[in-house]
Amino acid sequence: METSDARSAEGDAEFAAAGRPDEADSPPLEPKDERDARLAELDDRWRRAAADLDNTRKRAARELAVARDAERARAASVFLPVVDGLSDAVSYAKQVSDPLAEGIESIREQAVVALERLGYPRIDAVDVPFDPRIHEVVSVIDSEDLPPRTVVAVTRLGFGAPERLLRPAGVVVTAARE
């Protein structure tokens, strides 16, 4: 038994001298300042990555909104000739006293409401000041009764708002006085 104890003591001494196998494979521990610096660097990188992700998400949302608005405008602009054709049909039907005038007018009104639901309200107000952002002058008349640059009649419906215009209204305005 003495030999096994001697061998055991010898193995323990060699093991202690060589160190534990798991310590030899792992890197030495960093000093606390280096760990704090590394932790701060990783934290900074993580925050920057999170901010980049947030910015990318916001940019994608903006681009989607722009694309959605462009597609909505494209679809609505395809519908404009239908509204114009129905308006012309109503005018003609009323001139010849056709009983279909009311039905055509109803369909035209539904088309106008559809454009309004797409986000393009009609522009058809009269007796309002001329606004070049939403009006297009078709004709100018002299009038002493109304202030200068006043919309007297709408010859073609416009749709939209100053910040998002589908088509300006064609209008007749009073002349500017000198």
Side-chain angles (χ1 to χ4, degrees):
M1 290 241 186
E2 290 176 32
T3 48
S4 71
D5 285 338
R7 280 190 210 153
S8 174
E10 249 179 52
D12 288 343
E14 287 176 16
F15 180 77
R20 292 187 300 193
D22 59 337
E23 283 183 2
D25 293 341
S26 66
L29 291 176
E30 298 176 1
K32 185 171 173 127
D33 291 342
E34 288 179 26
R35 278 194 313 245
D36 289 345
R38 177 77 174 138
L39 183 60
E41 177 191 344
L42 291 174
D43 185 59
D44 181 59
R45 288 174 54 191
W46 178 82
R47 289 180 190 274
R48 286 177 189 269
D52 284 345
L53 177 64
D54 190 46
N55 289 339
T56 301
R57 187 178 298 127
K58 289 176 184 177
R59 184 175 51 250
R62 280 192 309 269
E63 289 172 358
L64 179 65
V66 166
R68 187 180 308 125
D69 287 346
E71 187 59 28
R72 182 180 294 133
R74 190 182 72 74
S77 67
V78 168
F79 208 47
L80 288 176
V82 174
V83 172
D84 292 341
L86 289 171
S87 294
D88 292 343
V90 168
S91 296
Y92 177 76
K94 285 183 179 178
Q95 286 176 359
V96 295
S97 300
D98 192 335
L100 289 176
E102 288 180 29
I104 297 170
E105 176 67 28
S106 174
I107 294 169
R108 184 192 74 83
E109 189 59 31
Q110 288 176 352
V112 169
V113 168
L115 286 171
E116 289 175 344
R117 287 188 10 220
L118 285 172
Y120 299 102
R122 78 179 84 194
I123 303 169
D124 64 352
V126 295
D127 293 331
V128 297
F130 172 75
D131 183 351
R133 298 175 302 162
I134 60 172
H135 297 130
E136 179 178 61
V137 176
V138 174
S139 181
V140 178
I141 62 168
D142 289 323
S143 175
E144 298 296 325
D145 300 338
L146 294 170
R149 297 184 182 105
T150 298
V151 174
V152 178
V154 176
T155 60
R156 184 188 70 211
L157 282 178
F159 294 94
E163 63 278 352
R164 201 171 102 194
L165 188 66
L166 184 61
R167 176 175 80 182
V171 297
V172 177
V173 297
T174 57
R177 295 188 194 116
E178 295 177 21

